[in-house]
């Protein structure tokens, strides 16, 4: 069933859009990522203009993340206190990120810079998560008990707060810094930032994986909602029919993703997320290296 998208000015199969939204929703519920780094390239592939894909994609992330958070709240796997601290840093970072993005845009080649940021961060984070997860699975099969978390420089910082859901007592400075960094990168790269925040919460803050997923989604909701409002009010690139179909698919998929995620072990979740991150990294790197189908593009000034 073909449906015409007025802002994107293309006709697309409605069931295809529902399926894309559902896939991203499942991944959101399973891994605690908004799915912006996946839904936006997928929309490119089916012919949606980049500006509309970015703006409408963030709208879908809000819905799938909100749906998944509701499921996690029922299971008490969301650390609201930690999420609030991360959110404060994220909103400040998003404001700084917009300023940095506009400055880089004035210098030119911002598109290339964004793609390089994707390849760099996805490659490094995906590789680290993959190696750590493989080692954890090996140790589990050999019957080795997991090593107890040792106190590091993070635990020596001042302004400590108790995060009961995560079972942590540490300074608010590291979560603020993580939120700030994610907010900046999210604004520059046009994503929710979950693929960066989830590993940071696990490896830097030492949060349990099950709690990390729900808490990450809680922060992503507000950051992507803020981004969507900016796009809708300044660029007018949010396509309502496209957003609605992605929303329906995302909300349904997120519920299934949460159920699947709770049935998998923490090591299995991390290695699956690492493989997905590396796959997207490889595709983006390939696009940068291969010769484009169109060497030139024409545009009008103003």
């Amino acid at each position: 069933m073909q449906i015409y998208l007025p802002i994107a000015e293309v006709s697309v199969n409605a069931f295809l859009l529902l399926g894309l939204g559902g896939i991203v929703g499942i991944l959101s519920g399973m891994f605690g990522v908004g799915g912006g780094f996946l839904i936006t390239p997928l929309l490119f592939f089916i012919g949606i203009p980049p500006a509309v894909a970015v703006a409408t994609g963030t709208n879908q992330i809000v819905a799938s993340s909100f749906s998944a958070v509701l499921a996690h709240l029922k299971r008490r796997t969301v650390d609201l206190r930690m999420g609030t601290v991360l959110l404060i840093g994220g909103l400040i970072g998003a404001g700084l990120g917009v300023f940095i993005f506009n400055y880089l845009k004035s210098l030119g080649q911002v598109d290339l810079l964004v793609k390089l940021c994707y390849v760099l961060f996805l490659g490094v984070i995906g590789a680290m998560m993959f190696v750590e997860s493989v080692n954890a699975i090996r140790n589990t099969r050999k019957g080795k008990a997991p090593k107890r978390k040792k106190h590091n420089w993070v635990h020596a910082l001042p302004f400590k707060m108790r995060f009961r859901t995560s079972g942590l007592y540490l300074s608010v400075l590291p979560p603020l810094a993580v939120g700030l960094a994610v907010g900046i990168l999210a604004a520059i790269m046009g994503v929710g930032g979950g693929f960066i925040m989830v590993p940071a919460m696990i490896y830097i803050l030492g949060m349990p994986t099950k709690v990390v997923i729900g808490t990450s989604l809680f922060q992503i909701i507000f950051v992507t909602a803020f981004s969507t409002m900016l796009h809708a009010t300044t660029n007018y690139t949010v396509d309502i029919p496209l957003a609605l179909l992605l929303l329906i698919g995302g909300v349904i998929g997120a519920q299934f993703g949460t159920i699947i995620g709770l049935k998998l072990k923490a090591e299995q979740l991390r290695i699956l997320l690492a493989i997905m991150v590396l796959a997207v990294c490889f595709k983006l790197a390939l696009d940068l290296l291969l010769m484009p189908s169109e060497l030139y593009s024409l545009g009008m000034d103003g």
Side-chain angles (χ1 to χ4, degrees), residues 226-238:
F226 179 66
S227 176
T228 300
M229 287 178 61
L230 287 178
H231 280 297
T233 55
T234 60
N235 300 325
Y236 309 106
T237 49
V238 176

Side-chain angles (χ1 to χ4, degrees), residues 139-271:
N139 292 335
T140 302
R141 288 180 177 177
K142 291 179 181 178
K144 292 183 180 180
K147 294 181 181 179
R148 295 185 62 184
K149 294 176 183 177
K150 297 180 180 179
H151 286 270
N152 51 30
W153 60 272
V154 171
H155 297 84
L157 296 174
F159 308 110
K160 291 188 175 181
M161 181 182 292
R162 191 173 298 281
F163 302 96
R164 299 187 183 279
T165 307
S166 300
L168 297 175
Y169 180 64
L170 77 166
S171 170
V172 297
L173 297 179
L176 280 174
V178 170
L180 183 72
V182 168
I184 292 173
L185 293 173
I188 293 175
M189 299 167 68
V191 295
F195 68 95
I196 297 171
M197 185 161 53
V198 169
M201 292 164 74
I202 293 173
Y203 300 117
I204 297 178
L205 304 182
M207 293 177 61
T209 303
K210 298 291 185 181
V211 177
V212 162
I213 295 173
T215 308
S216 169
L217 290 168
F218 173 79
Q219 193 259 13
I220 287 172
I221 290 172
F222 296 97
V223 173
T224 50
F226 179 66
S227 176
T228 300
M229 287 178 61
L230 287 178
H231 280 297
T233 55
T234 60
N235 300 325
Y236 309 106
T237 49
V238 176
D239 195 303
I240 300 301
L242 174 59
L244 184 60
L245 289 170
L246 292 174
L247 286 174
I248 295 172
V251 169
I252 296 172
Q255 298 300 316
F256 288 102
T258 303
I259 296 171
I260 296 170
L262 291 173
K263 290 183 178 180
L264 295 175
K265 294 180 180 179
E267 296 82 8
Q268 294 172 328
L269 282 172
R270 291 203 293 271
I271 198 168

Side-chain angles (χ1 to χ4, degrees), residues 83-128:
T84 303
V85 175
L86 288 166
L87 178 60
I88 293 171
L91 292 177
I92 296 172
L96 290 174
V98 171
F99 174 79
I100 294 171
F101 183 86
N102 291 334
Y103 174 72
L104 293 173
K105 190 175 180 181
S106 67
L107 298 178
Q109 295 295 328
V110 70
D111 291 341
L112 177 61
L113 179 67
V114 169
K115 289 182 179 179
L116 287 174
C117 285
Y118 264 110
V119 173
L120 176 64
F121 285 101
L122 290 176
V124 172
I125 292 170
M128 288 176 59

